[in-house]
Amino acid sequence: MTVGTTNLHTREKWLEAALSAIPAGSRILDAGAGEQGYRRFCSHLDYVAQDFAQYDGKGDAKGLQTVVWDQSRLDIVSDITSIPEPDASFDAIMCVEVFEHLPDPLAALREFSRLLKKGGTLILTAPFCSLTHFAPYHFYSGFSRYFYRTHLDACGFEIVELVENGNYFEYLAQEVRRIPTVADLYVGKRPRLWELLSVRVVLHMLARFCRDDRGSSELLHYGCHVRGVKR
């Protein structure tokens, strides 16, 4: 039973396909690259990694933290809204699961518009709903399809693909699976055996509903995957 476990896998498969479609030799900026987890999909590209390099894995010890975080291989250390590169200096930009960590994501979009060549590709993903993570650098819980439709157009982009990852039942299943970990962290207790069995029952129910889903992603989902082109 995989319901509630496919968020990352689905996002990475979409990213791999989107990046593979960019012509070989194109110059791509990984904005907010962090540990450069998706550099592996860019072997055919001229890859440039940027990040502000202030997150250390521990943050303020609130919410979900990574414990360790290695940003020693960055090409550019700067604010994402002021990247020291000339206008129209990139053929493509990707910004993966970063927007919730930016105080001003619209300023980042305007900077991406400045940096991209006409006809260049913008690849974005961000959660629609997220738990507190990487605090204190967690400013938004998520972004809807309407955010992208409104603000990408205003910043000079045409959306050519917008995919919602997951649906209401998958998102609930993801969080139901997280209950033992969160209970241990914030209550200091683990669920009893009968409670764990109840969790299994709920997951089976959610899996059944998910198989017959008719568009509940309009209500809740993991996050949007967006591909835009600079006009």
Side-chain angles (χ1 to χ4, degrees):
M1 184 170 50
T2 61
V3 66
T5 66
T6 60
N7 183 359
L8 178 62
H9 175 74
T10 303
R11 180 168 66 248
E12 290 189 343
K13 292 298 290 183
W14 182 86
L15 275 171
E16 184 176 15
L19 289 166
S20 69
I22 298 173
S26 298
R27 190 169 189 241
I28 186 169
L29 174 68
D30 188 352
E35 294 189 307
Q36 302 175 46
Y38 300 112
R39 186 177 192 136
R40 65 188 189 276
F41 298 148
C42 300
S43 59
H44 63 302
L45 303 172
D46 179 9
Y47 175 89
V48 178
Q50 176 277 338
D51 203 285
F52 79 147
Q54 294 181 29
Y55 179 66
D56 61 2
K58 300 179 180 63
D60 64 1
K62 304 292 186 182
L64 304 178
Q65 304 285 352
T66 62
V67 182
V68 294
W69 195 248
D70 180 10
Q71 297 181 93
S72 60
R73 297 186 300 144
L74 293 170
D75 300 300
I76 300 172
V77 175
S78 72
D79 190 293
I80 200 170
T81 66
S82 182
I83 296 172
E85 288 281 332
D87 294 357
S89 55
F90 291 95
D91 303 292
I93 295 175
M94 68 169 167
C95 187
V96 180
E97 305 298 291
V98 172
F99 269 24
E100 71 270 32
H101 304 296
L102 304 180
D104 190 351
L106 297 184
L109 274 180
R110 291 190 290 268
E111 180 71 344
F112 298 164
S113 182
R114 180 187 74 81
L115 291 169
L116 266 179
K117 297 176 182 177
K118 184 177 181 180
T121 299
L122 177 63
I123 295 172
L124 296 174
T125 80
F128 176 70
C129 186
S130 65
L131 304 183
T132 300
H133 62 290
F134 288 30
Y137 306 109
H138 186 258
F139 302 102
Y140 301 90
S141 59
F143 301 86
S144 74
R145 66 185 76 87
Y146 305 107
F147 171 87
Y148 299 104
R149 289 174 182 171
T150 298
H151 295 299
L152 264 70
D153 179 67
C155 290
F157 294 99
E158 177 185 354
I159 294 176
V160 295
E161 184 179 12
L162 193 159
V163 179
E164 292 166 342
N165 179 12
N167 59 40
Y168 174 82
F169 304 107
E170 289 180 287
Y171 190 93
L172 290 185
Q174 174 182 266
E175 297 311 312
V176 166
R177 290 179 182 275
R178 210 192 302 264
I179 288 172
T181 300
V182 175
D184 187 38
L185 182 62
Y186 290 100
V187 184
K189 296 179 180 178
R190 302 287 293 181
R192 299 184 175 115
L193 177 59
W194 70 267
E195 292 169 331
L196 290 174
L197 292 174
S198 297
V199 165
R200 297 295 295 175
V201 171
V202 171
L203 288 174
H204 277 285
M205 176 189 68
L206 293 171
R208 179 167 62 87
F209 291 157
C210 188
R211 285 193 297 269
D212 297 327
D213 182 71
R214 298 177 184 176
S216 68
S217 64
E218 71 181 22
L219 186 66
L220 180 64
H221 54 88
Y222 296 134
C224 290
H225 302 163
V226 183
R227 188 163 53 91
V229 172
K230 170 74 178 298
R231 290 196 295 263

